Amino acid sequence: MDGALPIRLLADVTDALKTGRGWEASLRRLAELLVEQLADWCVIDLLDERGRARRVVVVGHGEGPDSPRAGEPSQLLPAWAEASTAPLAEALRRRTAVLISEVPPPEQATDSLERAQLQLLTRLGAASAIAAPLHVDGRPFGVIIVVRTAASWPFTEAQVTLIENFARQGALVVDNARLYDQHREIATYLQHSLLPETLPALPPLHLVARYKPARTHAEVGGDWYDAIMLPDGTLAFTIGDVVGHDVPATVRMSQVRHTLRTLAIDRPGPPDDVMRRLDQVLEKLPEPNITATLIFGVARSLETGSSSLTWSNAGHPPPLLIPADGQARFAMGGHGLPLGVDTGVPRETPASASLAAGGIFLLYTDGLIERPGEDMSAGLERLRREAMKLRQLSPDHFVDELVERVAPTGGDDVALLALRSSEPSPEAY
Protein backbone atom coordinates (compact mmCIF):
# COMPACT_ATOMS: atom_id res chain seq x y z
CA MET A 1 0.00 0.00 0.00
CA ASP A 2 2.81 2.44 0.87
CA GLY A 3 4.40 2.20 -2.56
CA ALA A 4 1.12 3.00 -4.32
CA LEU A 5 0.31 5.96 -2.10
CA PRO A 6 2.16 8.66 -4.08
CA ILE A 7 0.34 7.55 -7.25
CA ARG A 8 -2.98 7.83 -5.47
CA LEU A 9 -1.95 11.26 -4.20
CA LEU A 10 -1.21 12.45 -7.71
CA ALA A 11 -4.54 11.20 -9.02
CA ASP A 12 -6.58 12.61 -6.13
CA VAL A 13 -5.00 16.05 -6.15
CA THR A 14 -5.12 16.28 -9.94
CA ASP A 15 -8.85 15.52 -9.75
CA ALA A 16 -9.19 18.31 -7.19
CA LEU A 17 -7.55 20.72 -9.63
CA LYS A 18 -10.03 19.83 -12.35
CA THR A 19 -12.80 21.18 -10.14
CA GLY A 20 -11.03 24.54 -9.95
CA ARG A 21 -10.11 24.39 -6.25
CA GLY A 22 -6.65 25.85 -6.79
CA TRP A 23 -3.24 25.32 -5.26
CA GLU A 24 -4.23 26.11 -1.65
CA ALA A 25 -6.80 23.32 -1.76
CA SER A 26 -4.12 21.08 -3.25
CA LEU A 27 -1.86 21.70 -0.27
CA ARG A 28 -4.65 20.78 2.11
CA ARG A 29 -5.41 17.65 0.09
CA LEU A 30 -1.76 16.63 0.36
CA ALA A 31 -1.94 16.94 4.12
CA GLU A 32 -5.30 15.15 4.37
CA LEU A 33 -4.05 12.16 2.39
CA LEU A 34 -1.02 11.80 4.62
CA VAL A 35 -3.15 11.98 7.75
CA GLU A 36 -5.58 9.43 6.30
CA GLN A 37 -2.86 6.92 5.49
CA LEU A 38 0.36 7.48 7.41
CA ALA A 39 0.32 10.11 10.11
CA ASP A 40 -1.61 11.69 12.96
CA TRP A 41 -0.72 15.25 11.97
CA CYS A 42 0.63 17.02 8.91
CA VAL A 43 2.08 20.53 8.79
CA ILE A 44 3.05 22.38 5.61
CA ASP A 45 5.35 25.42 5.64
CA LEU A 46 5.92 27.43 2.45
CA LEU A 47 8.71 29.79 1.47
CA ASP A 48 7.97 33.21 0.05
CA GLU A 49 10.02 35.04 -2.56
CA ARG A 50 12.34 36.37 0.17
CA GLY A 51 13.02 32.91 1.56
CA ARG A 52 10.88 33.36 4.67
CA ALA A 53 8.81 30.41 5.86
CA ARG A 54 5.10 30.61 6.59
CA ARG A 55 3.02 27.88 8.17
CA VAL A 56 -0.03 27.57 5.93
CA VAL A 57 -1.60 24.17 6.66
CA VAL A 58 -2.14 22.18 9.86
CA VAL A 59 -4.25 19.03 9.45
CA GLY A 60 -4.76 16.21 11.92
CA HIS A 61 -6.58 14.82 14.91
CA GLY A 62 -6.54 17.36 17.74
CA GLU A 63 -7.33 16.03 21.21
CA GLY A 64 -5.90 18.43 23.77
CA PRO A 65 -7.14 21.97 24.46
CA ASP A 66 -3.88 23.37 23.06
CA SER A 67 -3.93 21.37 19.82
CA PRO A 68 -3.98 23.41 16.58
CA ARG A 69 -7.21 23.35 14.66
CA ALA A 70 -7.72 22.81 10.93
CA GLY A 71 -7.78 26.17 9.20
CA GLU A 72 -5.56 27.81 11.83
CA PRO A 73 -4.40 31.20 10.44
CA SER A 74 -1.21 31.34 8.39
CA GLN A 75 1.76 32.20 10.61
CA LEU A 76 5.11 33.71 9.60
CA LEU A 77 7.94 31.69 11.14
CA PRO A 78 11.13 33.19 12.61
CA ALA A 79 14.20 33.69 10.45
CA TRP A 80 16.97 31.15 10.85
CA ALA A 81 20.70 30.79 10.41
CA GLU A 82 22.12 28.58 7.67
CA ALA A 83 23.34 26.06 10.25
CA SER A 84 19.98 25.82 12.04
CA THR A 85 19.06 22.34 13.26
CA ALA A 86 15.32 23.01 12.99
CA PRO A 87 13.52 20.25 11.01
CA LEU A 88 12.48 22.74 8.33
CA ALA A 89 16.00 24.12 7.90
CA GLU A 90 17.63 20.66 7.85
CA ALA A 91 15.23 19.32 5.21
CA LEU A 92 15.86 22.35 2.99
CA ARG A 93 19.64 22.26 3.50
CA ARG A 94 19.97 18.52 2.82
CA ARG A 95 17.28 18.52 0.11
CA THR A 96 16.11 15.21 1.48
CA ALA A 97 13.66 13.94 4.09
CA VAL A 98 14.83 14.12 7.73
CA LEU A 99 13.74 11.62 10.41
CA ILE A 100 13.17 12.91 13.95
CA SER A 101 12.95 9.63 15.83
CA GLU A 102 12.61 11.36 19.20
CA VAL A 103 11.24 14.88 19.42
CA PRO A 104 13.29 16.94 21.92
CA PRO A 105 11.64 19.50 24.21
CA PRO A 106 11.59 23.15 23.03
CA GLU A 107 14.06 24.08 25.78
CA GLN A 108 16.82 22.26 23.86
CA ALA A 109 16.39 24.45 20.76
CA THR A 110 19.44 26.38 19.60
CA ASP A 111 17.64 29.07 17.56
CA SER A 112 14.24 30.73 17.31
CA LEU A 113 13.03 28.69 14.31
CA GLU A 114 13.87 25.39 15.96
CA ARG A 115 12.15 26.56 19.14
CA ALA A 116 9.00 27.49 17.22
CA GLN A 117 8.92 24.16 15.42
CA LEU A 118 9.55 22.10 18.54
CA GLN A 119 6.83 24.03 20.34
CA LEU A 120 4.39 23.10 17.57
CA LEU A 121 5.47 19.44 17.63
CA THR A 122 4.96 19.43 21.40
CA ARG A 123 1.47 20.87 20.97
CA LEU A 124 0.74 18.09 18.50
CA GLY A 125 1.90 15.46 20.98
CA ALA A 126 4.59 14.30 18.55
CA ALA A 127 6.63 11.22 19.47
CA SER A 128 8.33 11.05 16.05
CA ALA A 129 8.24 13.10 12.84
CA ILE A 130 9.59 13.31 9.30
CA ALA A 131 10.32 16.60 7.51
CA ALA A 132 10.53 16.43 3.71
CA PRO A 133 11.29 19.31 1.32
CA LEU A 134 8.86 20.39 -1.37
CA HIS A 135 10.89 21.31 -4.45
CA VAL A 136 10.62 21.36 -8.23
CA ASP A 137 13.71 21.25 -10.48
CA GLY A 138 15.91 21.78 -7.44
CA ARG A 139 14.00 24.91 -6.40
CA PRO A 140 12.60 24.49 -2.86
CA PHE A 141 9.34 26.21 -2.02
CA GLY A 142 8.35 24.55 1.24
CA VAL A 143 8.56 21.70 3.70
CA ILE A 144 5.99 19.08 4.67
CA ILE A 145 6.22 17.66 8.22
CA VAL A 146 4.33 14.52 9.22
CA VAL A 147 3.86 13.57 12.85
CA ARG A 148 2.97 10.43 14.79
CA THR A 149 1.93 10.65 18.42
CA ALA A 150 2.73 8.21 21.23
CA ALA A 151 -0.51 6.38 20.45
CA SER A 152 0.88 5.29 17.04
CA TRP A 153 3.89 3.31 15.91
CA PRO A 154 6.89 5.67 15.62
CA PHE A 155 8.29 6.62 12.24
CA THR A 156 11.44 4.74 11.21
CA GLU A 157 13.86 4.92 8.29
CA ALA A 158 11.48 2.61 6.42
CA GLN A 159 9.03 5.50 5.99
CA VAL A 160 11.57 8.20 5.10
CA THR A 161 11.87 7.25 1.43
CA LEU A 162 8.09 6.93 1.13
CA ILE A 163 7.45 10.39 2.56
CA GLU A 164 10.20 11.85 0.41
CA ASN A 165 8.65 10.33 -2.71
CA PHE A 166 5.24 11.55 -1.61
CA ALA A 167 6.59 15.09 -1.14
CA ARG A 168 8.40 15.05 -4.49
CA GLN A 169 5.33 14.05 -6.48
CA GLY A 170 3.07 16.24 -4.41
CA ALA A 171 5.35 19.23 -5.06
CA LEU A 172 4.90 18.78 -8.80
CA VAL A 173 1.12 18.80 -8.45
CA VAL A 174 1.10 21.84 -6.16
CA ASP A 175 3.54 23.74 -8.37
CA ASN A 176 1.37 23.03 -11.40
CA ALA A 177 -1.61 24.23 -9.41
CA ARG A 178 0.19 27.48 -8.58
CA LEU A 179 0.95 28.03 -12.28
CA TYR A 180 -2.69 27.17 -13.04
CA ASP A 181 -3.91 29.82 -10.63
CA GLN A 182 -1.47 32.41 -11.96
CA HIS A 183 -2.59 31.74 -15.52
CA ARG A 184 -6.23 31.98 -14.51
CA GLU A 185 -5.63 35.24 -12.66
CA ILE A 186 -3.85 36.79 -15.65
CA ALA A 187 -6.47 35.56 -18.10
CA THR A 188 -9.35 36.80 -15.94
CA TYR A 189 -7.66 40.19 -15.59
CA LEU A 190 -7.26 40.32 -19.36
CA GLN A 191 -10.93 39.48 -19.86
CA HIS A 192 -12.12 42.16 -17.42
CA SER A 193 -9.74 44.75 -18.89
CA LEU A 194 -11.33 44.25 -22.31
CA LEU A 195 -14.87 44.86 -21.03
CA PRO A 196 -16.22 48.41 -20.54
CA GLU A 197 -15.70 49.89 -17.07
CA THR A 198 -18.88 51.99 -17.30
CA LEU A 199 -22.04 51.83 -19.36
CA PRO A 200 -23.95 54.81 -20.80
CA ALA A 201 -27.54 55.63 -19.90
CA LEU A 202 -30.40 56.74 -22.11
CA PRO A 203 -33.22 57.81 -19.78
CA PRO A 204 -35.42 56.09 -18.91
CA LEU A 205 -33.10 53.16 -19.70
CA HIS A 206 -30.60 52.07 -17.04
CA LEU A 207 -28.00 49.47 -18.02
CA VAL A 208 -26.38 46.91 -15.72
CA ALA A 209 -23.93 44.19 -16.75
CA ARG A 210 -22.09 41.30 -15.12
CA TYR A 211 -19.32 38.97 -16.18
CA LYS A 212 -18.61 35.72 -14.32
CA PRO A 213 -15.59 33.63 -15.42
CA ALA A 214 -15.75 29.85 -15.54
CA ARG A 215 -14.48 28.01 -12.44
CA THR A 216 -13.53 24.64 -13.81
CA HIS A 217 -10.54 25.61 -15.93
CA ALA A 218 -7.80 28.19 -15.90
CA GLU A 219 -8.81 29.76 -19.19
CA VAL A 220 -11.36 32.48 -19.76
CA GLY A 221 -13.55 32.67 -22.79
CA GLY A 222 -14.85 35.03 -25.41
CA ASP A 223 -17.99 36.35 -23.70
CA TRP A 224 -18.53 40.11 -23.78
CA TYR A 225 -21.06 42.91 -23.50
CA ASP A 226 -20.93 46.55 -24.58
CA ALA A 227 -23.04 49.69 -24.96
CA ILE A 228 -22.21 53.05 -26.56
CA MET A 229 -24.00 56.26 -27.50
CA LEU A 230 -24.20 56.76 -31.26
CA PRO A 231 -23.90 60.13 -33.06
CA ASP A 232 -27.67 60.25 -33.72
CA GLY A 233 -28.45 60.08 -29.99
CA THR A 234 -29.49 56.43 -29.92
CA LEU A 235 -27.95 53.84 -27.64
CA ALA A 236 -26.25 50.81 -29.22
CA PHE A 237 -26.03 47.63 -27.13
CA THR A 238 -24.52 44.22 -27.73
CA ILE A 239 -23.69 40.93 -26.11
CA GLY A 240 -21.76 38.08 -27.66
CA ASP A 241 -19.66 34.98 -27.35
CA VAL A 242 -16.64 34.13 -29.49
CA VAL A 243 -16.06 30.39 -29.86
CA GLY A 244 -13.27 29.12 -27.59
CA HIS A 245 -12.19 28.98 -23.95
CA ASP A 246 -8.69 30.35 -23.92
CA VAL A 247 -6.71 33.57 -24.10
CA PRO A 248 -6.77 33.61 -27.94
CA ALA A 249 -10.56 33.53 -27.74
CA THR A 250 -10.42 36.58 -25.48
CA VAL A 251 -8.20 38.37 -28.00
CA ARG A 252 -10.64 37.50 -30.81
CA MET A 253 -13.46 38.78 -28.65
CA SER A 254 -11.65 42.11 -28.36
CA GLN A 255 -11.30 42.28 -32.16
CA VAL A 256 -14.99 41.63 -32.69
CA ARG A 257 -16.12 44.09 -30.02
CA HIS A 258 -13.94 46.97 -31.19
CA THR A 259 -14.69 46.36 -34.86
CA LEU A 260 -18.40 46.44 -34.08
CA ARG A 261 -17.98 49.70 -32.17
CA THR A 262 -16.15 51.27 -35.11
CA LEU A 263 -18.75 50.20 -37.65
CA ALA A 264 -21.69 51.35 -35.52
CA ILE A 265 -20.20 54.79 -34.87
CA ASP A 266 -18.78 55.37 -38.36
CA ARG A 267 -21.98 54.58 -40.25
CA PRO A 268 -25.02 54.00 -38.04
CA GLY A 269 -27.69 51.93 -39.69
CA PRO A 270 -30.22 49.18 -39.08
CA PRO A 271 -28.80 46.45 -36.80
CA ASP A 272 -28.91 43.82 -39.55
CA ASP A 273 -26.86 46.06 -41.84
CA VAL A 274 -24.24 46.68 -39.14
CA MET A 275 -24.14 42.94 -38.44
CA ARG A 276 -23.69 42.18 -42.16
CA ARG A 277 -20.78 44.62 -42.47
CA LEU A 278 -19.18 43.22 -39.30
CA ASP A 279 -19.33 39.69 -40.72
CA GLN A 280 -17.69 40.87 -43.95
CA VAL A 281 -14.87 42.67 -42.11
CA LEU A 282 -14.14 39.68 -39.88
CA GLU A 283 -13.94 37.46 -42.95
CA LYS A 284 -11.07 39.61 -44.27
CA LEU A 285 -9.02 39.73 -41.06
CA PRO A 286 -5.57 38.03 -41.16
CA GLU A 287 -6.69 35.65 -38.40
CA PRO A 288 -9.24 33.27 -39.95
CA ASN A 289 -12.04 31.26 -38.39
CA ILE A 290 -13.45 33.85 -36.01
CA THR A 291 -16.84 32.42 -35.16
CA ALA A 292 -19.15 34.21 -32.76
CA THR A 293 -22.77 34.53 -31.73
CA LEU A 294 -24.06 37.95 -30.75
CA ILE A 295 -26.98 40.32 -30.52
CA PHE A 296 -26.58 43.90 -31.69
CA GLY A 297 -29.33 46.46 -31.24
CA VAL A 298 -30.23 50.10 -30.75
CA ALA A 299 -32.52 51.77 -28.24
CA ARG A 300 -34.45 55.03 -28.61
CA SER A 301 -36.39 56.98 -26.02
CA LEU A 302 -40.03 57.70 -26.89
CA GLU A 303 -42.15 60.66 -25.86
CA THR A 304 -44.50 58.25 -24.12
CA GLY A 305 -41.79 57.48 -21.53
CA SER A 306 -41.10 54.03 -22.90
CA SER A 307 -38.15 52.88 -25.04
CA SER A 308 -38.08 51.38 -28.51
CA LEU A 309 -35.64 48.49 -29.02
CA THR A 310 -34.53 47.09 -32.37
CA TRP A 311 -31.99 44.29 -32.70
CA SER A 312 -30.44 41.64 -34.91
CA ASN A 313 -29.47 38.21 -33.63
CA ALA A 314 -26.55 36.21 -35.04
CA GLY A 315 -27.16 32.72 -33.66
CA HIS A 316 -27.33 33.89 -30.03
CA PRO A 317 -29.77 32.78 -27.30
CA PRO A 318 -32.92 34.94 -27.52
CA PRO A 319 -33.35 38.05 -25.35
CA LEU A 320 -35.82 37.84 -22.48
CA LEU A 321 -38.45 40.57 -22.31
CA ILE A 322 -39.71 40.94 -18.73
CA PRO A 323 -42.60 43.39 -18.30
CA ALA A 324 -43.37 45.02 -14.96
CA ASP A 325 -46.57 42.96 -14.91
CA GLY A 326 -47.58 39.87 -16.81
CA GLN A 327 -45.61 37.00 -18.27
CA ALA A 328 -41.99 37.23 -19.38
CA ARG A 329 -41.31 35.99 -22.91
CA PHE A 330 -38.35 35.28 -25.14
CA ALA A 331 -38.10 37.56 -28.18
CA MET A 332 -37.43 35.10 -31.00
CA GLY A 333 -37.28 37.43 -34.03
CA GLY A 334 -34.35 38.84 -35.98
CA HIS A 335 -32.42 35.55 -36.05
CA GLY A 336 -29.62 34.77 -38.49
CA LEU A 337 -26.45 32.70 -38.76
CA PRO A 338 -23.56 33.19 -36.33
CA LEU A 339 -20.72 35.39 -37.53
CA GLY A 340 -18.03 33.58 -39.50
CA VAL A 341 -20.34 30.96 -41.05
CA ASP A 342 -21.50 32.32 -44.43
CA THR A 343 -21.49 36.01 -45.34
CA GLY A 344 -23.55 35.29 -48.46
CA VAL A 345 -26.71 34.45 -46.51
CA PRO A 346 -28.90 37.57 -46.03
CA ARG A 347 -29.70 38.72 -42.51
CA GLU A 348 -33.29 38.48 -41.31
CA THR A 349 -35.24 41.69 -40.75
CA PRO A 350 -34.44 43.08 -37.28
CA ALA A 351 -36.80 42.37 -34.41
CA SER A 352 -38.32 45.14 -32.33
CA ALA A 353 -40.09 45.66 -29.03
CA SER A 354 -41.29 48.45 -26.79
CA LEU A 355 -40.07 48.53 -23.20
CA ALA A 356 -42.48 50.24 -20.81
CA ALA A 357 -41.69 51.59 -17.35
CA GLY A 358 -40.52 48.85 -14.98
CA GLY A 359 -39.74 46.46 -17.83
CA ILE A 360 -36.43 44.67 -18.35
CA PHE A 361 -34.79 43.58 -21.59
CA LEU A 362 -32.24 40.90 -20.67
CA LEU A 363 -29.34 39.78 -22.83
CA TYR A 364 -27.12 36.90 -21.72
CA THR A 365 -24.63 34.31 -22.99
CA ASP A 366 -25.28 30.58 -23.13
CA GLY A 367 -23.20 29.91 -20.00
CA LEU A 368 -26.15 31.19 -17.97
CA ILE A 369 -28.61 28.57 -19.20
CA GLU A 370 -26.64 25.53 -20.36
CA ARG A 371 -26.02 22.56 -18.08
CA PRO A 372 -24.39 19.26 -19.10
CA GLY A 373 -26.93 16.63 -20.17
CA GLU A 374 -29.85 19.06 -20.01
CA ASP A 375 -31.94 20.32 -22.90
CA MET A 376 -31.50 24.06 -23.45
CA SER A 377 -35.25 24.58 -23.21
CA ALA A 378 -35.07 23.63 -19.52
CA GLY A 379 -32.41 26.29 -18.96
CA LEU A 380 -34.46 28.91 -20.78
CA GLU A 381 -37.55 28.13 -18.72
CA ARG A 382 -35.52 28.27 -15.50
CA LEU A 383 -34.21 31.71 -16.52
CA ARG A 384 -37.69 32.98 -17.40
CA ARG A 385 -39.18 31.73 -14.14
CA GLU A 386 -36.46 33.18 -11.89
CA ALA A 387 -36.41 36.49 -13.76
CA MET A 388 -40.11 36.98 -13.09
CA LYS A 389 -39.57 36.34 -9.38
CA LEU A 390 -36.78 38.93 -9.21
CA ARG A 391 -38.08 41.68 -11.50
CA GLN A 392 -39.11 44.00 -8.66
CA LEU A 393 -35.53 44.22 -7.38
CA SER A 394 -33.19 47.06 -8.26
CA PRO A 395 -31.23 46.48 -11.50
CA ASP A 396 -28.00 45.61 -9.65
CA HIS A 397 -29.70 43.21 -7.25
CA PHE A 398 -31.69 41.72 -10.12
CA VAL A 399 -28.63 40.64 -12.13
CA ASP A 400 -26.68 39.52 -9.04
CA GLU A 401 -29.51 37.31 -7.82
CA LEU A 402 -30.18 35.99 -11.30
CA VAL A 403 -26.58 34.85 -11.71
CA GLU A 404 -26.62 33.30 -8.25
CA ARG A 405 -29.83 31.36 -8.85
CA VAL A 406 -29.58 30.40 -12.51
CA ALA A 407 -25.91 30.09 -13.49
CA PRO A 408 -24.52 26.57 -13.05
CA THR A 409 -21.39 26.10 -10.95
CA GLY A 410 -18.24 26.08 -13.08
CA GLY A 411 -18.76 25.04 -16.68
CA ASP A 412 -18.70 28.17 -18.80
CA ASP A 413 -18.30 31.93 -18.67
CA VAL A 414 -21.43 33.99 -18.11
CA ALA A 415 -22.14 37.52 -19.31
CA LEU A 416 -25.37 39.48 -18.77
CA LEU A 417 -26.61 42.86 -19.92
CA ALA A 418 -29.91 44.15 -18.53
CA LEU A 419 -31.71 47.20 -19.91
CA ARG A 420 -34.18 48.41 -17.28
CA SER A 421 -36.78 51.08 -18.02
CA SER A 422 -37.25 53.24 -14.93
CA GLU A 423 -40.28 55.08 -13.71
CA PRO A 424 -40.06 58.82 -14.47
CA SER A 425 -38.70 60.82 -11.52
CA PRO A 426 -40.74 63.76 -10.10
CA GLU A 427 -38.09 66.15 -11.43
CA ALA A 428 -39.03 65.09 -14.97
CA TYR A 429 -42.36 66.87 -14.77
Side-chain angles (χ1 to χ4, degrees):
M1 179 185 71
D2 285 355
L5 185 60
I7 297 175
R8 181 192 163 192
L9 157 75
L10 198 62
D12 284 0
V13 178
T14 301
D15 287 344
L17 291 184
K18 289 180 180 178
T19 64
R21 296 177 187 172
W23 71 271
E24 293 179 354
S26 301
L27 284 174
R28 179 161 294 279
R29 186 59 184 146
L30 280 171
E32 289 171 348
L33 283 169
L34 277 167
V35 169
E36 288 172 11
Q37 300 292 331
L38 291 172
D40 296 315
W41 285 93
C42 182
V43 178
I44 298 179
D45 300 326
L46 292 186
L47 303 179
D48 63 18
E49 65 281 356
R50 298 169 61 181
R52 299 174 302 183
R54 183 178 293 276
R55 182 174 303 135
V56 294
V57 174
V58 178
V59 171
H61 309 292
E63 297 179 358
D66 195 37
S67 296
R69 295 290 182 262
E72 190 170 89
S74 173
Q75 177 184 351
L76 185 64
L77 301 178
W80 68 91
E82 186 176 344
S84 172
T85 56
L88 181 149
E90 288 215 44
L92 290 174
R93 184 169 58 250
R94 298 182 187 181
R95 299 198 174 192
T96 187
V98 175
L99 172 65
I100 306 139
S101 54
E102 293 184 11
V103 178
E107 294 76 18
Q108 294 184 15
T110 59
D111 60 70
S112 56
L113 175 65
E114 185 177 19
R115 185 177 303 108
Q117 291 208 291
L118 293 181
Q119 286 173 345
L120 175 64
L121 294 178
T122 299
R123 289 178 63 194
L124 300 179
S128 61
I130 296 175
L134 295 166
H135 58 84
V136 176
D137 297 329
R139 173 180 54 85
F141 64 86
V143 171
I144 189 164
I145 302 174
V146 290
V147 170
R148 281 183 178 174
T149 65
S152 303
W153 290 101
F155 281 123
T156 67
E157 290 289 347
Q159 286 84 45
V160 172
T161 301
L162 173 62
I163 298 299
E164 189 171 60
N165 193 22
F166 188 101
R168 184 182 301 114
Q169 295 193 53
L172 289 172
V173 174
V174 173
D175 193 59
N176 286 337
R178 296 175 79 172
L179 293 174
Y180 167 102
D181 281 358
Q182 289 173 8
H183 180 69
R184 177 184 173 83
E185 191 174 318
I186 292 170
T188 302
Y189 174 80
L190 173 63
Q191 176 86 14
H192 281 288
S193 70
L194 294 174
L195 296 175
E197 293 185 5
T198 59
L199 295 171
L202 181 67
L205 282 181
H206 177 64
L207 277 65
V208 178
R210 292 292 185 272
Y211 169 72
K212 176 186 175 185
R215 299 178 185 175
T216 56
H217 42 70
E219 294 84 6
V220 293
D223 292 24
W224 89 92
Y225 58 83
D226 200 5
I228 53 172
M229 293 301 300
L230 299 180
D232 62 0
T234 60
L235 174 73
F237 57 86
T238 183
I239 195 164
D241 184 2
V242 169
V243 172
H245 289 98
D246 48 25
V247 172
T250 305
V251 174
R252 292 194 294 271
M253 172 272 286
S254 179
Q255 289 179 306
V256 175
R257 177 186 162 225
H258 286 93
T259 302
L260 178 56
R261 271 191 164 217
T262 301
L263 293 173
I265 293 174
D266 178 63
R267 198 172 76 200
D272 60 321
D273 180 62
V274 176
M275 193 86 79
R276 176 185 57 79
R277 287 186 283 133
L278 174 63
D279 207 3
Q280 292 174 343
V281 171
L282 295 179
E283 187 181 42
K284 293 178 172 60
L285 288 179
E287 182 179 357
N289 302 323
I290 295 182
T291 305
T293 68
L294 73 131
I295 291 173
F296 172 75
V298 293
R300 295 176 175 83
S301 296
L302 303 177
E303 294 181 359
T304 59
S306 60
S307 298
S308 171
L309 307 175
T310 306
W311 69 92
S312 183
N313 188 329
H316 202 76
L320 180 60
L321 186 62
I322 312 155
D325 298 301
Q327 295 295 313
R329 63 178 178 85
F330 289 99
M332 305 302 294
H335 269 276
L337 293 175
L339 298 181
V341 175
D342 187 348
T343 57
V345 177
R347 292 280 161 191
E348 187 175 315
T349 302
S352 61
S354 179
L355 193 64
I360 303 170
F361 189 69
L362 180 68
L363 308 170
Y364 53 92
T365 56
D366 57 9
L368 182 66
I369 56 173
E370 287 187 342
R371 296 187 181 181
E374 181 183 76
D375 188 82
M376 185 178 287
S377 61
L380 289 170
E381 176 56 25
R382 181 168 51 247
L383 171 62
R384 190 192 71 83
R385 185 175 61 248
E386 294 298 331
M388 288 184 60
K389 294 178 184 177
L390 301 170
R391 59 186 168 186
Q392 300 303 323
L393 297 178
S394 69
D396 284 285
H397 287 162
F398 171 80
V399 292
D400 287 337
E401 282 294 318
L402 201 59
V403 170
E404 183 67 26
R405 296 189 185 191
V406 179
T409 301
D412 198 0
D413 294 23
V414 174
L416 289 88
L417 178 63
L419 287 69
R420 175 74 175 265
S421 182
S422 305
E423 296 282 356
S425 63
E427 290 79 7
Y429 296 97

